[in-house]
Amino acid sequence: MGWYEDDDLWVGFAEVMFPPRRAAEAERLVATSPLLEVAPGDRVLDLACGPATHIVPLARRGAVVTGVDLSEAMLARARVACTAAEVEARLVRADMREHVERAAYDLVINMYTSFGYFTDPGENLAVLRNAHASLVPGGRLLVDVMGKEVFAGWVGRPQAVDVGGGTVFMRDTVLDDWTRLRSDWTWVRGDEVRRTSLYSTLYSAAELRALFEEVGFTDVECFGDFDCSPYDNHARRLIVRGTRA
Ligand SMILES: C[S@@+](CC[C@H](N)C(=O)[O-])C[C@H]1O[C@@H](n2cnc3c(N)ncnc32)[C@H](O)[C@@H]1O
């Protein structure tokens, strides 16, 4: 089983990854970011949607949203969030390495470092290929990750974050000549200790851009934040956008 298939991770650490402030932040981004701008009726696919963090604000703006996630537990949370927000969305349990709906979407998004999970580079490429095939001509893919250059600015500094009456200690280790990252999280709450490790591929902007181009995206652009600022020394994220010709 791949680490990303473990529901104990996504559910067990949900309070850390998906606190209420992230839903509020997604609401703000969808309202203000030119990268997430949608018109009523636009068809949007959220690949690895988690608990509907971005589905809810996109659907509120009139987009027709499909969320895909491998975790049934995350989809259950997504259903609850959509019901609570009184929005409709189609939620599908599928693996992003396999999920394709030919020419069905105007926008495909993959948010919050949900890309690069697979050790085999061909499997990560398959995700981009599927997204490309799922877009209409002129449609766009947006991938939001922690870029290698951004990460290099703070790697090696362990973090301690207070969450849910406990503290999560996070420590990152760079693997395989800066191609992969392991994040070890230990959550200490009273007598309870919970541990997990997350793995992801570390992409530089040039590397991720090259993958977009390899699967056929055109007009590929890299941004350093959702306000479309450049991917430079001030970047906070690596956001890559490409268009299906
Ligand atoms: C870091 S969370 C991000 C969730 C959401 N995009 C957000 O911004 O809150 C990553 C999500 O990827 C999902 N996931 C992991 N592997 C997957 C796969 N192979 N196919 C589809 N979803 C997957 C997990 O279940 C989890 O919900």
Side-chain angles (χ1 to χ4, degrees):
M1 184 171 85
W3 67 268
Y4 46 84
E5 292 172 80
D6 181 6
D7 263 2
D8 286 349
L9 187 173
W10 303 115
V11 175
F13 283 80
E15 277 174 82
V16 183
M17 276 185 256
F18 314 113
R21 69 171 166 72
R22 276 214 59 236
E25 173 68 359
E27 193 84 47
R28 185 187 72 75
L29 289 181
V30 169
T32 58
S33 172
L35 301 173
L36 291 167
E37 203 174 317
V38 287
D42 278 1
R43 294 152 296 171
V44 180
L45 171 62
D46 186 350
L47 268 184
C49 64
T53 315
H54 300 90
I55 290 176
V56 166
L58 287 164
R60 276 201 180 120
R61 299 185 93 76
V64 179
V65 191
T66 296
V68 163
D69 204 284
L70 191 57
S71 162
E72 190 49 60
M74 280 297 113
L75 291 171
R77 285 172 185 240
R79 259 174 236 118
V80 169
C82 288
T83 304
E86 299 182 1
V87 298
E88 283 192 17
R90 181 174 152 246
L91 298 170
V92 179
R93 180 165 190 253
D95 192 315
M96 58 183 151
R97 286 169 290 187
E98 288 153 18
H99 187 81
V100 184
E101 293 175 81
R102 300 215 173 267
Y105 295 99
D106 303 294
L107 175 67
V108 177
I109 61 171
N110 178 277
M111 306 288 285
Y112 201 52
T113 313
S114 304
F115 182 73
Y117 283 177
F118 313 112
T119 314
D120 175 357
E123 294 186 354
N124 294 318
L125 199 64
V127 176
L128 295 185
R129 250 189 243 296
N130 294 342
H132 186 265
S134 297
L135 284 164
V136 294
R140 284 167 158 178
L141 169 66
L142 196 72
V143 172
D144 155 49
V145 291
M146 184 56 66
K148 193 186 293 190
E149 298 88 345
V150 177
F151 180 71
W154 48 269
V155 69
R157 285 179 232 156
Q159 287 186 73
V161 183
D162 292 333
V163 184
T167 303
V168 182
F169 299 92
M170 300 166 164
R171 197 173 56 175
D172 296 322
T173 305
V174 171
L175 307 171
D176 305 334
D177 304 328
W178 278 89
T179 56
R180 306 236 348 128
L181 172 73
R182 188 185 72 231
S183 301
D184 298 313
W185 293 7
T186 306
W187 192 354
V188 182
R189 191 160 39 175
D191 292 339
E192 189 194 351
V193 178
R194 215 180 266 184
R195 289 194 179 83
T196 195
S197 295
L198 297 83
Y199 294 80
S200 56
T201 306
L202 278 172
Y203 296 104
S204 70
E207 287 164 346
L208 195 47
R209 168 198 284 274
L211 295 186
F212 267 61
E213 288 170 349
E214 186 176 337
V215 303
F217 283 102
T218 58
D219 301 323
V220 181
E221 294 170 283
C222 299
F223 303 98
D225 211 336
F226 284 94
D227 60 0
C228 287
S229 51
Y231 189 70
D232 60 14
N233 51 312
H234 303 294
R236 287 159 37 84
R237 312 275 309 161
L238 168 59
I239 302 160
V240 183
R241 181 175 69 175
T243 303
R244 178 176 179 171

